[in-house]
Amino acid sequence: MAPERTRDDARLLVVEPASAGEKTATITERAREVDADVRSVASAQAALESLEPNATDCVVSAHELGTADGLDLLETIRDREPDLPVVLAPANGDETLAGDAIAAGVTEYVPRERRDSLGAAIERAISQGRADRIAQERARQFESIFEDPDTYSWVLEPDGRVRRTNAGALEAIDGTESDVRGRPFWTLPWWERTEDGGEAIRTAVERAANGTVAHRELTRTAPPGAAERDRIDAEGARTFEVTVRPVRDETGAVVSLFAQATDVTERVRLEAELRESEELHRVTLNNMTDTVLITDDDGAFTYVCPNVHFIFGYTDDEIREMGSIDDLLAPELFDREELAEEGVLTNIECTATDKAGREHTLLVNVREVSIQDGTILYSCRDVTKRKRREEALTALHRTARASLYAETDREIADRIVADGTDVLDLEASAAFRFDTDENVLRPVASSPGMDRLHGPLPTRRANDESIPGQVFVEGEPRFFADVHESPTLSNRTTDLRSAGFVPLGDHGVFVAGSPEADAFDDVSRELTDLLAATAEAALDRVERERTLRERDRELKRRNRQLTRLNQVNEIIREIDAALVKAETRDEIERAVCERLTTAERFAFAWIGTVDAAGERLESNAHDGAGRGQEYLDGASFSLADATEPAARTAATREVTVVSNVVDRLHDEPWRKVALSRDYQSAIGVPLAYDEFTYGVLTVYADRPDAFDETTRAVLAELGETIASAIAAVERKRALLTDSRTRLEFDVNDDGFVFARLARRADCVLSFDGGVRQHDDRISVFVTVDGAPVADVATAAADLVAVEDVRVISDERSGDEPGGTVLLELAQPFLALRLADHGVVLRRIEATPEGAQLVVDVPSAVNPSGSVDVVSNAFADVELRSKRTVERTSPRDLHSELVDRLTERQLEVVQMAYYGGYFESPRERSGEDVAETLDISPAAFYRHIRSVQRSLFAALFEEAGLPADVAPGVE
């Protein structure tokens, strides 16, 4: 709206024709009495032509204007400018003219008789026009506000009833003016989708009616499908600010209410975002580690970041009180000319002291700014920890490089303990090493600070009874702000407060500490872990290298062992080949000694047997150049002291090993004799087979520890092989020997199967040597006297040692009950053990009171060995007699016959013999025996004839008669 004019600015247009000789003052003259800009025209046409919009504040016209009068001009002006004030001043007026003028809309009517008041009328007209213009302007402004498409507006009665509603508000509820006019404002559909909206609007209306502007903020939700119509956002709600204002008249009374609702959703959102942003910036500034400071050109603070205490420990007020940045940071921190040229200077390193007196290393960025009164912005970053970490990592790198060249665990422990105080900036450090032999943690290194603050470190068990033990077992580091608070602290007198314990893998524990509490920050803990990890890696490397060296030594040792084993196996193969070819015991013994000393395998070997008196060991065979005989002549082999390996083996019948002859050199004379021949280790092996001893094999080597576990086992097995070979040749020799020693024994052993069976059946059992060997059992024919064979078979079936029992014959001559049974016994059986050594079990006779055994020992076999076999077989046995018997034939007819018969033929003839087939008269027929054997009679007779032919052939051949010319043989 244009600025309101004052009266001095008023512009008048006077319409008055020229009139000469008029005595009264003219209209123009009267108009000039008004302080205004007066223009004068003489006709209505001229007046209309000079009128321009907003160019005239009032028109003063006469009535008599020639062709037109004042009323016509008034009506024309009202058509063009309805609000322009018009004063009609007729020279000859009457009431009719006055009425017509008023009806045409005249502002003032002043006839000639009141011409003196024309000035006042003009002023009133000008004022009225100005007031009308103002009112019209206000009305236009109100309409513009009221019909604002972005605002919902209502005009209300003082009691709140709706008088008028703008188009936007009606469109929002899809209604018409008549739908809402006269309704209470708070009942409109507008407030139905707001929480407590109706009540809030009612309260606002009451306040406005009482003369107070009321504001309310309401959130309105939209029904489905109304989002576009109500301009409601995608979230389904809009926020409105509702204002209800009182409208007063000239007296100040409230005559109406004006209500407006403005969509402030976006503003609310922006305000919320602004609040969040302000909160974010506030939290960021309060918690970020970098500190921002702003000063003027003189260094005075204009802004201090709220987080300034993070670095400096001061509050922002305390910083401001310092007055200058030079009091906080180093003076002359940067070159002002360089800053002016560059605009920004970065990463200026300086040192500052905080409120507690601690020194900090800072990186400062400086830039020129223009923020309020500030011109220089400082961004300070505390890099004390980073600087310390860099220095510590440099020291740690030196430690790691030095550890690469350490060769022992102790060197590594000394290194990390010595460097630990520099790396960690702590006074005390130490290292425990885990002792795998005793399962304890032993202190292996400690710094002077540890010795001063704690004293000597004790050895700790690897368990949870101590802090180092717990850390080692759990494998997790532990840090204490005050180690005295730990219940497992063993030394309460220690001056250590802060302490860190870090495991070194399986190697031990690293310890670091300080007399100050809470000395381990994040950097210290990280560096402690890194130092321990470096030590663990170095210890792992040393252990791997040690393991590789041990494996290399073990590989070399095994290669040497394998070489020796190959040599021993070669010896064994050669000896086995020689044993197969040997015909006599002397050949066996000589071959063994020769093969053992061939190609410098061993220095000396000999085989000896105990003399007849049983007092000393005598040499049977030896080999090993001249030194061997000298040793046999110089050493003592008496069984009384039995210190020499061969004599000790003969006395104990066990393998004797002397790893180093030098040991106990002055205690046993034989060692000096052996050492003088350069014999440095020895082994004695008994030549024993199935409890028969055939002597001792003794081997000597020219180096210590020549007989490892493998060689011992091979030589011990060789001893058994040699004994078995000797037994074989002696069995062969026994077959050709006529002279034998017959031994008779009394056996009182409740476990003896024949004695138990005789006692159970209350009979006499006789065994005369008939033995058949199967894979897992032995078959023997037993003669029964004094009891029915059925009772004997029943009693035998209950014995564990008897696998099976069969009745062969149950008839005996005379009135005595008896017969023959076939017992299948579980191995081993005494007859077979004796037969392996050429000894023959001739007879067993068992009665309820006891048993007697008779064996024949060839002259080539030592009878004492046979006695030992029998004695070891029973719990209670006694040698009753010993005598020499002669065979009637130079050859063993029994053995010859057995060699000629098959197992089936031998089974058939034994069954026939013990079944009474060959008795006269026959006790059982051939058919009966065949039925027992489960074969046909024809097969039985065929086997019998084959056995008879083989028997006579062997008999005639032994007598010197060819079998094909022997008389009486088919």
Side-chain angles (χ1 to χ4, degrees):
M1 185 177 65
E4 184 178 327
R5 292 191 181 94
T6 64
R7 287 178 54 186
D8 294 339
D9 297 326
R11 292 168 297 181
L12 297 179
L13 177 62
V14 178
V15 184
E16 182 181 24
S19 176
E22 188 172 354
K23 297 180 178 180
T24 58
T26 64
I27 296 174
T28 305
E29 292 174 348
R30 291 295 182 186
R32 295 187 185 280
E33 295 177 357
V34 179
D35 189 9
D37 180 14
V38 179
R39 289 182 297 143
S40 180
V41 294
S43 64
Q45 183 63 35
L48 292 175
E49 292 176 355
S50 62
L51 283 178
E52 295 180 2
N54 298 322
T56 301
D57 293 322
C58 184
V59 176
V60 181
S61 176
H63 180 63
E64 299 81 6
L65 298 177
T67 58
D69 58 19
L71 288 177
D72 295 332
L73 177 61
L74 174 62
E75 291 176 354
T76 302
I77 290 174
R78 285 287 174 263
D79 291 338
R80 295 175 59 179
E81 294 189 39
D83 298 325
L84 180 64
V86 177
V87 177
L88 183 63
N92 298 306
D94 53 20
E95 292 182 358
T96 302
L97 179 61
D100 293 339
I102 293 173
V106 71
T107 305
E108 290 285 342
Y109 181 81
V110 182
R112 175 180 293 187
E113 58 269 21
R114 291 193 293 122
R115 185 71 58 85
D116 293 341
S117 62
L118 181 60
I122 292 172
E123 289 181 351
R124 287 196 303 272
I126 292 173
S127 297
Q128 180 65 38
R130 182 178 293 117
D132 290 343
R133 286 196 302 273
I134 292 173
Q136 291 173 2
E137 181 66 26
R138 288 179 178 176
R140 285 194 298 271
Q141 290 177 352
F142 174 78
E143 287 298 323
S144 176
I145 295 172
F146 186 78
E147 295 298 341
D148 184 359
D150 294 328
T151 306
Y152 310 124
S153 303
W154 298 266
V155 176
L156 311 177
E157 299 291 348
D159 60 1
R161 288 178 292 109
V162 177
R163 180 188 300 175
R164 183 182 175 189
T165 305
N166 75 348
L170 292 174
E171 182 182 355
I173 62 174
D174 196 17
T176 63
E177 183 76 23
S178 60
D179 293 335
V180 298
R181 183 183 296 117
R183 292 181 58 179
F185 185 50
W186 53 86
T187 64
L188 296 184
W190 245 91
W191 320 118
E192 291 177 356
R193 298 192 300 274
T194 60
E195 184 176 356
D196 298 331
E199 186 62 28
I201 295 300
R202 183 189 185 100
T203 304
V205 168
E206 291 175 353
R207 285 182 54 121
N210 292 328
T212 304
V213 178
H215 298 278
R216 295 292 185 271
E217 189 173 283
L218 302 174
T219 300
R220 183 183 183 208
T221 60
E228 180 65 26
R229 183 186 68 228
D230 292 348
R231 293 178 294 174
I232 295 176
D233 63 5
E235 284 73 22
R238 305 292 289 179
T239 301
F240 293 88
E241 184 180 55
V242 181
T243 303
V244 183
R245 302 175 182 275
V247 179
R248 303 175 186 271
D249 61 8
E250 295 81 358
T251 65
V254 176
V255 295
S256 65
L257 304 176
F258 179 59
Q260 277 187 313
T262 305
D263 189 342
V264 294
T265 303
E266 186 65 17
R267 189 197 72 190
V268 170
R269 183 184 65 80
L270 293 176
E271 288 176 352
E273 291 179 355
L274 179 59
R275 286 193 298 271
E276 292 177 358
S277 177
E278 290 176 349
E279 178 66 16
L280 175 63
H281 282 80
R282 184 184 66 81
V283 173
T284 300
L285 290 175
N286 284 333
N287 293 278
M288 72 177 185
T289 56
D290 288 4
T291 292
V292 176
L293 305 168
I294 302 178
T295 69
D296 57 17
D297 289 337
D298 296 329
F301 294 104
T302 62
Y303 173 78
V304 177
C305 185
N307 71 342
V308 69
H309 63 281
F310 279 4
I311 297 178
F312 300 100
Y314 297 102
T315 64
D316 52 352
D317 292 336
E318 290 172 334
I319 293 292
R320 291 179 185 274
E321 290 175 1
M322 289 183 180
S324 173
I325 191 73
D326 292 341
D327 297 329
L328 185 64
L329 303 178
E332 299 182 0
L333 183 63
F334 58 92
D335 187 343
R336 293 297 182 95
E337 294 181 359
E338 184 181 0
L339 177 63
E341 180 180 349
E342 298 292 337
V344 59
L345 300 177
T346 61
N347 294 336
I348 303 173
E349 185 173 315
C350 68
T351 302
T353 303
D354 65 10
K355 186 177 181 179
R358 293 185 294 264
E359 198 171 76
H360 296 259
T361 301
L362 305 180
L363 285 182
V364 182
N365 293 342
V366 183
R367 68 173 62 244
E368 290 185 334
V369 296
S370 179
I371 302 176
Q372 295 179 353
D373 296 330
T375 59
I376 301 177
L377 183 146
Y378 298 80
S379 176
C380 305
R381 173 168 296 179
D382 189 348
V383 294
T384 305
K385 289 185 178 181
R386 188 178 76 184
K387 190 80 172 178
R388 177 183 164 198
R389 184 183 287 110
E390 290 174 353
E391 295 172 351
L393 289 177
T394 301
L396 186 62
H397 179 66
R398 291 195 300 267
T399 301
R401 291 188 60 185
S403 300
L404 289 176
Y405 301 100
E407 296 183 356
T408 64
D409 298 345
R410 183 57 182 269
E411 290 182 40
I412 296 173
D414 290 340
R415 172 61 60 184
I416 63 169
V417 168
D419 294 349
T421 54
D422 295 334
V423 174
L424 305 178
D425 194 21
L426 298 173
E427 296 184 40
S429 60
F432 287 88
R433 184 77 172 90
F434 181 60
D435 188 339
T436 56
D437 295 331
E438 300 184 18
N439 289 342
V440 296
L441 292 167
R442 297 189 184 279
V444 292
S446 62
S447 67
M450 179 65 76
D451 296 336
R452 184 180 69 258
L453 295 172
H454 185 82
L457 294 172
T459 298
R460 296 296 185 191
R461 284 285 176 189
N463 52 32
D464 57 359
E465 296 179 358
S466 65
I467 300 176
Q470 290 176 346
V471 171
F472 180 75
V473 172
E474 295 172 1
E476 294 294 334
R478 297 185 65 183
F479 293 90
F480 298 89
D482 189 347
V483 73
H484 286 261
E485 297 177 358
S486 173
T488 55
L489 178 64
S490 57
N491 183 7
R492 293 289 171 180
T493 64
T494 181
D495 291 332
L496 289 175
R497 291 296 173 183
S498 298
F501 299 80
V502 183
L504 302 176
D506 297 333
H507 307 288
V509 176
F510 174 70
V511 184
S514 170
E516 299 179 0
D518 202 15
F520 284 93
D521 55 14
D522 294 340
V523 175
S524 299
R525 295 188 181 200
E526 177 186 358
L527 292 174
T528 304
D529 288 337
L530 287 175
L531 183 61
T534 301
E536 182 181 352
L539 290 170
D540 287 340
R541 176 187 58 78
V542 170
E543 184 175 7
R544 287 194 301 271
E545 292 176 354
R546 183 167 54 244
T547 301
L548 289 175
R549 288 194 298 269
E550 291 175 355
R551 288 180 178 176
D552 186 56
R553 288 194 295 268
E554 176 66 16
L555 182 60
K556 292 179 180 179
R557 185 189 66 80
R558 291 190 176 184
N559 286 337
R560 291 193 299 270
Q561 183 182 25
L562 182 60
T563 300
R564 290 196 297 269
L565 182 60
N566 289 336
Q567 294 174 350
V568 172
N569 287 335
E570 184 179 355
I571 296 172
I572 298 304
R573 286 194 298 271
E574 293 177 1
I575 291 176
D576 287 342
L579 294 180
V580 172
K581 297 177 181 179
E583 295 290 339
T584 64
R585 177 171 180 171
D586 182 62
E587 291 180 11
I588 292 175
E589 294 174 344
R590 189 167 57 252
V592 169
C593 295
E594 289 176 355
R595 299 301 189 279
L596 287 173
T597 56
T598 299
E600 299 181 353
R601 294 164 173 167
F602 296 106
F604 177 48
W606 68 289
I607 294 176
T609 57
V610 180
D611 63 2
E615 297 178 353
R616 67 185 308 274
L617 199 64
E618 295 180 342
S619 174
N620 286 6
H622 69 272
D623 194 37
R627 291 182 301 168
Q629 186 60 51
E630 293 175 359
Y631 175 74
L632 294 176
D633 294 339
S636 173
F637 302 100
S638 172
L639 302 186
D641 54 6
T643 57
E644 206 279 340
R648 190 184 308 170
T649 300
T652 62
R653 296 188 180 184
E654 295 179 354
V655 176
T656 301
V657 178
V658 178
S659 298
N660 196 337
V661 172
V662 177
D663 296 340
R664 301 174 62 189
L665 181 64
H666 301 289
D667 296 337
E668 298 176 358
W670 73 269
R671 294 177 182 265
K672 293 182 180 180
V673 179
L675 193 59
S676 66
R677 273 75 181 172
D678 200 23
Y679 301 157
Q680 299 189 39
S681 58
I683 183 171
V685 178
L687 304 181
Y689 173 69
D690 197 15
E691 300 184 8
F692 274 71
T693 301
Y694 296 95
V696 177
L697 168 65
T698 311
V699 183
Y700 304 81
D702 56 5
R703 66 181 184 281
D705 298 316
F707 304 98
D708 56 16
E709 292 294 333
T710 302
T711 305
R712 296 177 191 180
V714 171
L715 291 178
E717 185 176 348
L718 177 62
E720 294 181 5
T721 302
I722 296 171
S724 176
I726 294 176
V729 298
E730 290 200 345
R731 281 199 306 273
K732 183 177 179 181
R733 182 180 174 188
L735 294 176
L736 303 176
T737 303
D738 294 333
S739 177
R740 294 173 178 265
T741 301
R742 177 158 294 176
L743 304 177
E744 296 183 6
F745 298 90
D746 286 336
V747 178
N748 295 303
D749 188 346
D750 293 339
F752 187 25
V753 62
F754 287 95
R756 292 181 64 189
L757 185 56
R759 188 165 51 254
R760 285 194 174 195
D762 192 20
C763 65
V764 177
L765 302 179
S766 301
F767 166 70
D768 295 325
V771 179
R772 291 182 58 246
Q773 182 176 2
H774 304 281
D775 292 337
D776 57 350
R777 63 187 187 280
I778 301 297
S779 297
V780 296
F781 290 92
V782 178
T783 302
V784 179
D785 288 320
V789 292
D791 294 346
V792 174
T794 301
D798 295 334
L799 297 179
V800 176
V802 178
E803 298 285 344
D804 193 12
V805 58
R806 297 167 63 187
V807 175
I808 304 302
S809 172
D810 59 356
E811 297 179 1
R812 296 293 302 273
S813 60
D815 297 332
E816 288 286 335
T820 303
V821 294
L822 176 65
L823 299 181
E824 292 188 359
L825 306 177
Q827 294 193 35
F829 186 55
L830 181 61
L832 299 181
R833 296 177 60 190
L834 292 171
D836 284 341
H837 302 280
V839 180
V840 179
L841 177 60
R842 287 298 182 186
R843 181 173 177 81
I844 297 177
E845 183 174 299
T847 66
E849 292 76 22
Q852 291 80 39
L853 271 74
V854 179
V855 300
D856 285 349
V857 182
S859 59
V861 179
N862 187 356
S864 61
S866 303
V867 174
D868 291 341
V869 173
V870 175
S871 299
N872 293 331
F874 302 103
D876 185 2
V877 63
E878 179 182 358
L879 179 62
R880 188 174 64 183
S881 66
K882 178 181 179 181
R883 57 192 178 90
T884 301
V885 297
E886 296 290 339
R887 290 197 311 174
T888 58
S889 172
R891 299 184 60 193
D892 190 347
L893 184 59
H894 175 270
S895 298
E896 181 69 22
L897 180 60
V898 170
D899 290 340
R900 293 178 180 232
L901 299 182
T902 65
E903 290 188 5
R904 188 58 168 169
Q905 290 172 348
L906 183 59
E907 180 185 12
V908 170
V909 73
Q910 284 182 324
M911 191 69 71
Y913 176 79
Y914 289 105
Y917 174 77
F918 295 107
E919 297 294 333
S920 181
R922 285 194 174 98
E923 296 178 357
R924 299 182 71 188
S925 65
E927 288 74 5
D928 294 337
V929 177
E931 183 179 355
T932 303
L933 291 169
D934 196 19
I935 62 176
S936 65
F940 169 74
Y941 289 120
R942 185 170 63 253
H943 286 309
I944 288 296
R945 285 195 296 271
S946 296
V947 174
Q948 288 174 340
R949 179 175 181 81
S950 298
L951 172 61
F952 288 120
L955 179 61
F956 292 146
E957 288 174 5
E958 188 156 334
L961 298 175
D964 55 354
V965 297
V969 178
E970 299 180 358

